[in-house]
Amino acid sequence: MKRASDADNGSLDLLLDTICNTFGGVLFISMLVVILLNMSSRQAALTPPDASAQAALVELERARSQTAAELRTLRDALSVQQQLERRIDDPGLREAVRRLREERDARTTRTAQADAARSRISQAQIDVNRVALSLAELQAARTRAAATLEQVDREMAREMAVRTRTARLPKLRQTTKTEVPFFLRQGRLCAFARRTPTGGLARNADEAVIRTDAAGVQTVEPVVPAGSLVNPAASSHADIEQKVAQFDKDRHFITLVVWPDSFAEFAVVKEILVRQQFEYRLLPWPDDEPITFGRSAGGALVQ
């Protein structure tokens, strides 16, 4: 009988020790759940959390997983406890153990439910924090892009201001002066006529040629290699000025035929004509169209 009593007392001590350990573990889990639920009950904000808060949240989640593992270990210990309960002979003690086990199971169920809810809330907060960080990065990128676009707009406006020229439309007027044609092609200026020693006009055969086709239509074209070279980059254009100055601004006006390959040189010739106070007429001419030779009826419009 003494051996049986000693064995029962040892089993009871082991049972009570297991129960105390289980109760302590459940109490720790309950406190942890309350703390985390208080943290998670606050309204989730879309402002990005700082690194320390995010790290603390992840660390709590790791602690929760570790606590869940310890809870599973305690449940295994309870299985051993249930085996020990079968060896208790006292009906009153057995009933007390049964009620304690039911209360423990109820607390364990509530704790597991609260832990699952807290886990979902914690994971949701982690996801919200991640989204908030992404939104902050997108906002920063948008701000940088807006600043870059503004800088590009300023540079474009400055470039346009530098490269834009304001041109006034010329005022055309009719003249009865004698026409003197000039041709500007391949960057060379050719004169159709030249002044004679008596002050009249004669055809300049060196720089312009007249051709007649089978139908008797006469066309004129410049002899480009014989013309005077117009260099927009040069600081002086004495030869061009002399070629124009041989004519009389009070008796003659200049008709300037310009091909597409000499638009840059036209600015030089125009500046010389204006400085020498010649009236002139501009005729932009396409590459493949011939110039018909003949006199025009009536006065010409010049500028």
Side-chain angles (χ1 to χ4, degrees):
M1 293 298 293
K2 186 176 182 180
R3 292 179 181 177
S5 176
D6 292 340
D8 291 341
N9 291 334
S11 298
L12 182 58
D13 292 339
L14 179 60
L15 174 61
L16 292 176
D17 183 62
T18 302
I19 291 173
C20 290
N21 291 336
T22 302
F23 180 74
V26 171
L27 182 60
F28 171 74
I29 293 173
S30 300
M31 292 176 64
L32 180 61
V33 168
V34 170
I35 294 173
L36 293 179
L37 283 176
N38 287 334
M39 293 177 59
S40 303
S41 61
R42 299 173 183 175
Q43 183 178 3
L46 287 180
T47 55
D50 54 23
S52 60
Q54 182 73 355
L57 184 59
V58 174
E59 179 62 23
L60 289 175
E61 177 64 16
R62 187 194 63 78
R64 184 203 62 81
S65 300
Q66 183 177 358
T67 303
E70 294 176 356
L71 182 59
R72 288 193 295 270
T73 302
L74 292 175
R75 288 175 179 172
D76 294 338
L78 289 178
S79 178
V80 176
Q81 172 195 343
Q82 291 175 356
Q83 294 178 3
L84 294 175
E85 289 177 3
R86 301 188 184 97
R87 301 176 59 181
I88 299 176
D89 295 332
D90 188 350
L93 181 59
R94 182 178 298 176
E95 179 63 19
V97 171
R98 184 187 64 79
R99 288 195 302 270
L100 180 61
R101 183 174 64 250
E102 290 177 353
E103 293 177 0
R104 178 206 63 205
D105 291 342
R107 286 196 302 271
T108 301
T109 300
R110 290 192 297 271
T111 301
Q113 292 174 349
D115 181 67
R118 187 213 56 80
S119 177
R120 291 192 298 270
I121 294 173
S122 177
Q123 188 60 46
Q125 184 62 50
I126 293 174
D127 294 338
V128 168
N129 293 345
R130 187 180 298 112
V131 171
L133 289 173
S134 299
L135 289 176
E137 293 175 357
L138 289 175
Q139 183 63 32
R142 179 181 177 183
T143 302
R144 291 193 300 270
T148 302
L149 180 59
E150 184 178 357
Q151 178 66 23
V152 170
D153 289 340
R154 287 197 299 268
E155 293 179 357
M156 182 179 296
R158 185 166 53 251
E159 189 69 16
M160 289 181 63
V162 171
R163 297 181 178 273
T164 300
R165 296 179 180 177
T166 302
R168 293 179 297 177
L169 293 176
K171 295 181 179 180
L172 300 180
R173 57 186 178 276
Q174 196 167 28
T175 184
T176 58
K177 296 178 182 179
T178 303
E179 179 182 24
V180 178
F182 275 80
F183 307 104
L184 186 56
R185 190 171 193 178
Q186 297 180 16
R188 289 184 175 271
L189 182 66
C190 300
F192 176 80
R194 59 180 175 80
R195 291 290 296 272
T196 64
T198 59
L201 295 179
R203 187 168 63 86
N204 185 5
D206 294 334
E207 297 184 4
V209 60
I210 298 176
R211 304 183 187 279
T212 305
D213 61 12
V217 177
Q218 290 184 323
T219 58
V220 60
E221 60 184 50
V223 181
V224 174
S228 301
L229 179 64
V230 181
N231 183 8
S235 59
S236 176
H237 304 91
D239 54 340
I240 306 298
E241 293 178 355
Q242 184 178 359
K243 178 173 289 191
V244 174
Q246 65 176 308
F247 302 99
D248 187 353
K249 65 181 179 61
D250 296 324
R251 297 173 54 194
H252 305 121
F253 76 91
I254 307 297
T255 294
L256 188 58
V257 183
V258 182
W259 275 263
D261 58 9
S262 300
F263 285 158
E265 290 77 5
F266 164 71
V268 176
V269 179
K270 175 186 174 182
E271 193 274 334
I272 294 174
L273 292 176
V274 172
R275 187 167 63 248
Q276 296 188 9
Q277 299 181 1
F278 274 94
E279 296 177 340
Y280 70 93
R281 177 176 61 163
L282 173 63
L283 293 180
W285 207 262
D287 285 327
D288 299 330
E289 184 175 341
I291 302 175
T292 303
F293 179 74
R295 292 183 178 273
S296 58
L301 293 177
V302 296
Q303 52 183 302

